[in-house]
Amino acid sequence: MSHPEQVRQRIIELEVEHRDLDVVINALTADPAHDELQLRRLKKRKLQLKDHITLLKMQLTPDVPA
């Protein structure tokens, strides 16, 4: 498997985890007795995933001269 293929596969894995976290966060938010600390941690992890996905996608796009 070449490097771009590995990067694409990793992006897919991270996007799945990101969507899963979205479902969990929505379920927790709907519960009036939810744990606020857990919710904040999940949201932070979701943002980290989004940042990581963005960085990986940037690796796949060639640099364009300005």
Side-chain angles (χ1 to χ4, degrees), residues 13-50:
E13 293 168 0
L14 293 174
E15 287 175 337
V16 168
E17 185 178 349
H18 188 269
R19 280 192 303 271
D20 290 347
L21 274 175
D22 206 26
V23 171
V24 172
I25 288 169
N26 287 337
L28 266 178
T29 305
D31 180 11
H34 67 268
D35 181 1
E36 194 62 38
L37 180 59
Q38 181 184 21
L39 186 61
R40 280 198 311 252
R41 287 179 177 161
L42 291 172
K43 286 181 177 182
K44 183 177 180 179
R45 174 67 182 148
K46 186 177 167 191
L47 286 173
Q48 289 171 335
L49 287 171
K50 183 178 179 184

